[in-house]
Amino acid sequence: DVPLTHIDGIDDRRVRDFRVVSDPELMRRRRLFVAEGHMAVERLLLSRFQVRSLLVTESAYQRLRGTLDRLNRDVEVFLTTATGLREVTGFRFHRGCLALGERSVATTFSHLVSESCRPIVALEALSDPDNVGSIFRTSAAFGVTGLLLSPTCADPLYRKAIRTSMGATLQVPFSIDAEWPNELKIIRKGGTLLVGLTPDPTAVDFETFIAESKGIPMALLFGSEGVGLSREVLELCDMHVRIAVEESTDSLNVAISAAIVLQRYAVTTRGVS
């Protein structure tokens, strides 16, 4: 069985890292992130990330016990009450279950490109963690190879992004390009088609484009919630495509756009129903 440690007070030094989970900047400096709730914690335990420790109530531990017993690595588990958990963390949205993960050094994204013919999703300057989390969730649903993010995107390991993604940010490989859009240039030279999504009426209709582009390795690029893709990135793209909408609507929410595009890509190229 997994060894358990009972925590009685908020001053216990063994849970000091849990006391800063509501401070995203401090968490980043400590190279940590937090997953909350049974589903996200279970997906973290089964992910590529190293898990430092869990802080859980008795009932949450019982739900996770089977997963913990199957792990081939030791994870420190601290038991407390729901009240104790709130006192330690300072917030209520823990669902009796928190886990600390360690931020690992990301591999270069170009390494992922050669491993699959499935699409890549690239995000530029998406500041809303809900949008980032939603796109990760959609990407997991439709078998995306991985995601490439500009450094101005919301942190995919921020707890709100993890929660919105239903833990998909812990499952789908991703990389943050510190020299954006350098990684796009690299994968383009390697033969990946860069496809920029834009509401520009002169862009090619996505349905037409995807029907004529089966089997071509591509990266699907989505821009910020306000201005969309930057001019630099649009000029780098091989194709500009748009989702056809009524003239009375100028654009769609970026997470909705990504869901439509990825579903249509999957149906058209791989016959996903």
Side-chain angles (χ1 to χ4, degrees):
D1 288 349
V2 175
L4 303 177
T5 303
H6 290 265
I7 299 299
D8 296 322
I10 64 173
D11 296 327
D12 194 309
R13 288 182 55 82
R14 291 172 294 185
V15 293
R16 61 185 181 276
D17 284 328
F18 284 98
R19 292 201 291 269
V20 300
V21 294
S22 60
D23 187 334
E25 290 304 316
L26 187 53
M27 289 285 284
R28 287 175 70 92
R29 287 201 296 271
R30 294 189 181 185
R31 304 293 301 165
L32 295 172
F33 65 91
V34 63
E36 55 186 303
H38 174 264
M39 180 178 290
V41 170
E42 185 171 52
R43 288 184 172 175
L44 173 57
L45 290 170
L46 299 174
S47 75
R48 65 190 183 280
F49 293 97
Q50 182 68 35
V51 183
R52 177 167 298 185
S53 56
L54 273 63
L55 181 62
V56 296
T57 62
E58 177 65 34
S59 60
Y61 166 68
Q62 293 300 331
R63 292 186 68 190
L64 290 166
R65 188 171 180 175
T67 302
L68 287 165
D69 288 341
R70 292 195 303 270
L71 294 179
N72 58 6
R73 63 184 188 274
D74 292 331
V75 176
E76 200 166 20
V77 179
F78 298 110
L79 276 184
T80 187
T81 62
T83 300
L85 223 163
R86 286 197 298 272
E87 290 175 348
V88 171
T89 63
F91 65 86
R92 295 177 179 271
F93 303 106
H94 49 70
R95 301 180 183 89
C97 185
L98 293 176
L100 291 178
E102 298 182 0
R103 292 176 182 266
S104 55
V105 178
T107 57
T108 57
F109 196 76
S110 53
H111 174 70
L112 294 172
V113 177
S114 61
E115 296 183 355
S116 175
C117 61
R118 297 192 177 201
I120 297 161
V121 167
L123 307 179
E124 183 183 33
L126 268 65
S127 60
D128 188 334
D130 283 326
N131 282 335
V132 171
S134 293
I135 292 174
F136 266 86
R137 186 177 179 182
T138 300
S139 296
F142 295 114
V144 165
T145 296
L147 286 91
L148 178 65
L149 287 75
S150 76
T152 50
C153 281
D155 179 12
L157 297 180
Y158 175 51
R159 61 188 179 91
K160 191 175 183 183
I162 294 175
R163 184 169 67 242
T164 304
S165 76
M166 301 295 285
T169 62
L170 308 174
Q171 296 179 309
V172 182
F174 70 87
S175 180
I176 298 173
D177 183 4
E179 299 180 10
W180 179 269
N182 186 60
E183 201 71 48
L184 289 176
K185 297 176 182 178
I186 293 173
I187 62 176
R188 185 172 184 260
K189 288 180 180 178
T192 297
L193 194 74
L194 300 187
V195 181
L197 273 293
T198 172
D200 186 341
T202 65
V204 177
D205 175 68
F206 181 76
E207 293 286 348
T208 301
F209 164 75
I210 202 63
E212 298 174 352
S213 306
K214 293 182 181 180
I216 300 176
M218 67 179 68
L220 302 166
L221 280 60
F222 299 89
S224 72
E225 296 89 344
V227 299
L229 292 169
S230 66
R231 178 175 297 180
E232 179 184 13
V233 169
L234 282 172
E235 290 176 351
L236 189 62
C237 290
D238 300 290
M239 292 290 297
H240 295 167
V241 301
R242 66 186 295 269
I243 300 169
V245 296
E246 295 289 339
E247 291 183 2
S248 58
T249 303
D250 60 351
S251 63
L252 296 170
N253 168 271
V254 64
I256 292 175
S257 296
I260 292 170
V261 166
L262 292 176
Q263 193 271 344
R264 295 307 301 150
Y265 180 97
V267 168
T268 305
T269 62
R270 296 187 280 118
V272 173
S273 58

